Amino acid sequence: MKHRILPHGLLLAAGLGWAAAAAALPPPGSVVLYSDGTALKRLPGGSAAAAQWQDHRLRHLTLPSNPLLPPLARVGLDGRIQYREHLDSGDPDRLLRAAPGTRESFQTRRTTADGAVRTRHFECAYLGETVRPVLGRRDTLRRYRCERFTLHRKFWTRDVKEVVELDYSPRLGLVVERRRETARGRSVRRLLAVFAPGAYRYEKVRALLAGARGGKR
Amino acid sequence: MSPRIVASLLAALLLGGCVSNMTRPQDTERRLDAAEVRALFSNRTVESYNRNSGMTSFTYYHPDGRVVQQRYWSRRAGRWRVDGRGRVCLDFGRERCRRVVQIGDTYYKVVPGKGASIRYRRFIEGNLLVRKGERWPRGSVFRP
C-alpha cells in the first residue's frame, strides 16, 4: 500500500538563531502515524519553532522543532492545561549542528496543572549520521541518545529515569524511530506513514497498525 | 539517633510495606453491576485503550442511548445500553455486549478470549466529542 508522502522542501524559517536546523515540517492537516499507535495531526497556527499538534489522545501539544526537547505545553481534551515546560538552562540546539560525539546537558522546568514545578535534567549526545530508507526513500538521519535523570538532593548522584535513542529526519522534520528504555521496560516506535492533508483515512491507519503488529489486531 | 528509634522506624517501614501489600487491590477483579455500569458511562466521554491493537478510542455515551465513537480523526455513531446481566452493549451495526470489571483503580472491558483487553483511561463528564451546534455523526463505520 502506498501512501502519499509530503512534498519536501517546505522549509519553514525558524528565525530563532538555529535556522541551520530548521526542518521541513509537514503542513497543517498532515497526520503522522507511528508503529505503537501514536499519531499526530498538525494544526494550523504556531510556527516552526513551536508548532501546534493534536495527538491520538486528542490532546493539544506545542512541539518545539528541536526533537530533543519535550513538548512545550500539553492541553487535554477537556481544554485544561496539563503542563507547560520551558528550557531553563543549557543549549540543546547546539547538538543540531554539532560534530558526532558532542554532548550537551540541559534542564527544563515543567509546571503542571496543580501548580507544581519540577526541574527535569537531560543529557544528550549527537551520535552521528546514518543513511537508510524512510517511507520508501533514502534519507539521511541524525542519531541522538538522551538520558533524563533526577539528582539526589544530598549526594547529587544521578538516577536515570529514561534513556531514549532518536533517529531524526531533517528532511521530514520528524523523529522516524525512537527506542526508549524506562524502569517499566523498553519500547520502539517507528514512523509508519505521513498522510498529506486530506489523505488521512481510518482504514489505512488500521491496516498499517495491524501490519506493524504482525497482522495481529 | 538511638538504636531504639532506628528499630522502631525500621519496624514501621516493614509493617507499612506489609499493610500496603495486603491492601493492594491490583490482583482482585470485581465485576460491576448494571447500576454501576450505567453510572460509569452515562453522559460521559470515555477514553479507552485497546491493549491488543494499541488503539485509543473516545466514546460519548448519551443518556438517551445514542453513542458516538472517535478513533484518531474518524468517527462513527451507534447505540448503547446496559443489559440485564450488567454488561455494556455497543451497537455499531452489530450489537456486542461485554462485562466491565474493576482491577485496582482501573476499569476494563472484558473481551471473550482476550480477557480484560480494553482499559478505560478516563471518564470525563459530558460530551466532548460533538460540540454544541455540531451535527451528530452518521453511520456505523468510521469516517473518514
Side-chain angles (χ1 to χ4, degrees), chain A residues 31 33 36-41 54-58 76-78 82 200-203 205-206 209 213 216-217, chain B residues 45 47 49-56 58 70-74 114 121-122 124 128-129 131 141-144:
Chain A
V31 172
L33 178 68
D36 65 348
T38 300
L40 291 163
K41 182 180 189 178
Q54 186 181 44
D55 73 1
H56 62 291
R57 296 184 65 184
L58 308 182
L77 175 63
D78 53 7
Q82 296 177 342
Y200 157 84
R201 295 288 180 275
Y202 172 75
E203 282 308 320
V205 169
R206 197 177 70 141
L209 289 177
R213 288 179 169 247
K216 196 174 74 174
R217 282 219 48 225
Chain B
T45 303
E47 179 181 353
Y49 175 71
N50 186 319
R51 301 202 283 184
N52 292 319
S53 70
M55 285 197 201
T56 295
F58 288 86
Q70 179 162 346
R71 272 186 207 153
Y72 296 97
W73 292 275
S74 302
K114 294 179 180 173
R121 279 188 179 133
R122 293 184 76 191
I124 310 167
L128 299 186
L129 298 182
R131 310 281 176 176
V141 178
F142 280 112
R143 286 202 180 91

Side-chain angles (χ1 to χ4, degrees), chain A residues 62-151:
Chain A
T62 305
L63 298 184
S65 60
N66 185 334
L68 308 177
L69 280 167
L72 303 172
R74 195 173 80 190
V75 179
L77 175 63
D78 53 7
R80 291 184 188 157
I81 292 177
Q82 296 177 342
Y83 66 79
R84 286 187 187 284
E85 191 156 348
H86 68 271
L87 182 66
D88 194 38
S89 67
D91 183 13
D93 292 345
R94 196 169 73 90
L95 290 176
L96 301 181
R97 48 177 183 265
T102 307
R103 302 180 81 83
E104 176 73 20
S105 294
F106 57 95
Q107 292 178 22
T108 62
R109 279 171 88 81
R110 177 180 284 193
T111 307
T112 48
D114 57 4
V117 181
R118 204 153 46 95
T119 300
R120 304 174 88 216
H121 303 266
F122 298 84
E123 185 176 296
C124 295
Y126 173 50
L127 305 177
E129 282 185 354
T130 183
V131 178
R132 65 177 170 85
V134 175
L135 303 178
R137 185 179 157 176
R138 266 169 69 87
D139 203 351
T140 303
L141 307 175
R142 293 176 68 86
R143 300 185 60 231
Y144 297 94
R145 184 180 189 276
C146 290
E147 281 185 8
R148 184 174 66 80
F149 55 92
T150 55
L151 288 173

Side-chain angles (χ1 to χ4, degrees), chain B residues 123-137:
Chain B
F123 295 84
I124 310 167
E125 208 64 38
N127 182 357
L128 299 186
L129 298 182
V130 185
R131 310 281 176 176
K132 269 186 184 170
E134 196 181 339
R135 280 181 64 179
W136 193 269

Side-chain angles (χ1 to χ4, degrees), chain A residues 10-29:
Chain A
L10 293 163
L11 205 73
L12 304 173
L16 289 177
W18 29 272
L25 275 180

Side-chain angles (χ1 to χ4, degrees), chain B residues 32-46:
Chain B
L32 273 62
D33 64 27
E36 287 177 308
V37 171
R38 204 169 289 113
L40 195 59
F41 291 96
S42 186
N43 195 32
R44 281 184 167 164
T45 303
V46 181

Side-chain angles (χ1 to χ4, degrees), chain B residues 99-115:
Chain B
R99 60 193 177 90
V100 178
V101 298
Q102 184 180 13
I103 304 172
D105 295 330
T106 310
Y107 296 96
Y108 297 86
K109 187 159 76 176
V110 180
V111 179
K114 294 179 180 173

